[in-house]
Amino acid sequence: MTARRRLLRVASLGVALLAWQLLTSLDVNLWLRFEQFPTVGQVASTLADRATTGPYWQDLGFSLRRIVTGFALAAVLGIAAGTAVARSRLAADLLGPLVEVLRPVPAIALVPVAILLFPSNEQGIVFITCAAAFFPVLVSTRHAVSALSPVWEEAVLTMGGSRTRILFSVVLPGALPGIFGGLSVGIGVSWICVISAEMISGEYGVGYRTWQDYTVVDYPGVFVGMATIGALGWLTSTAVERAGHRLTRWLPSRTRSSRTPSSRTPSSRTPRLDRRRRGWAYGPSDV
């Protein structure tokens, strides 16, 4: 990313914070009411105070542990189930109807089920987080595997490759862009559901603390929780996208394709033109 794009992104956040500060400090009340909103300064002061306390980092650690555990389980199960449904007619018949029935159910609606199934709230929250990310990953993987060209698989079979070799050398690498699309969607949905689950049945975590601040009318604390959730979500989604870019470097990118013609022009054409102009003898490679 260029420095100009970084500066533009920082400027957009700065403009949003400045607009927030102006609307709240001036107590603007034009259809939307901002007089009860805390200002940016009040939220920043509360955040600075809490960042020096142990409970803030304890809540942050609990939320991160739940999201990492649930999302990792959803990634493994979703990729495995999506690949099986796309490549096996038996798996499609067995899992397909179940997936289509359960997929429309919001993950947060599974809180009563989690309370009944699991002996502790911790396991129930991880289950809800896993369920939230599971279906986006499964559906994206299924579509990505189904969209692969059969020519690649036939080529490996012609050369004597086994089914296992096809799976790990053709199917999964070819479906990686679609898989990471599902993972990127899944991590965002996971954060929504883990925070909601912590608000309903958690004992620790950013969502639990935000809800506690709301019940005692501590609005700067509520906004500190929202800012923390936003920052954690942005960091985790960025990590997933960076991992996707790193593992799919073989894909043609717009940046590389736009650089390729200009970068090849001086090295591949200029020397030959120069030699022709100077009357140098041509070799076999110049014919």
Side-chain angles (χ1 to χ4, degrees), residues 87-215:
R87 293 187 56 81
S88 170
R89 187 175 300 175
L90 177 62
D93 292 337
L94 290 176
L95 297 178
L98 191 61
V99 167
E100 295 304 323
V101 169
L102 294 178
R103 189 158 63 101
V105 179
I108 198 63
L110 299 176
V111 169
V113 179
I115 293 174
L116 294 175
L117 279 178
F118 296 98
S120 68
N121 288 337
E122 190 70 21
Q123 295 170 344
I125 293 173
V126 171
F127 165 73
I128 292 170
T129 307
C130 176
F134 173 74
F135 291 105
V137 176
L138 184 150
V139 173
S140 297
T141 303
R142 183 182 65 186
H143 286 298
V145 172
S146 300
L148 291 177
S149 174
V151 175
W152 300 349
E153 182 175 344
E154 292 170 0
V156 177
L157 284 174
T158 303
M159 291 185 289
S162 62
R163 293 288 180 184
T164 305
R165 180 66 181 272
I166 291 172
L167 178 63
F168 290 101
S169 299
V170 176
V171 175
L172 292 179
L176 271 181
I179 291 173
F180 272 97
L183 292 174
S184 183
V185 174
I187 191 69
V189 181
S190 294
W191 271 111
I192 295 172
C193 291
V194 74
I195 295 299
S196 303
E198 287 175 348
M199 288 181 175
I200 295 173
S201 61
E203 295 178 353
Y204 300 100
V206 180
Y208 169 78
R209 194 64 56 190
T210 304
W211 183 252
Q212 291 299 310
D213 291 331
Y214 170 73
T215 57

Side-chain angles (χ1 to χ4, degrees), residues 36-53:
Q36 295 185 355
F37 265 56
T39 64
V40 176
Q42 291 172 332
V43 175
S45 175
T46 305
L47 176 61
D49 292 338
R50 292 198 176 184
T52 59
T53 62

Side-chain angles (χ1 to χ4, degrees), residues 260-275:
T260 301
S262 59
S263 63
R264 291 180 58 185
T265 300
S267 60
S268 62
R269 299 181 60 184
T270 305
R272 180 177 296 185
L273 291 175
D274 289 344
R275 281 183 291 178

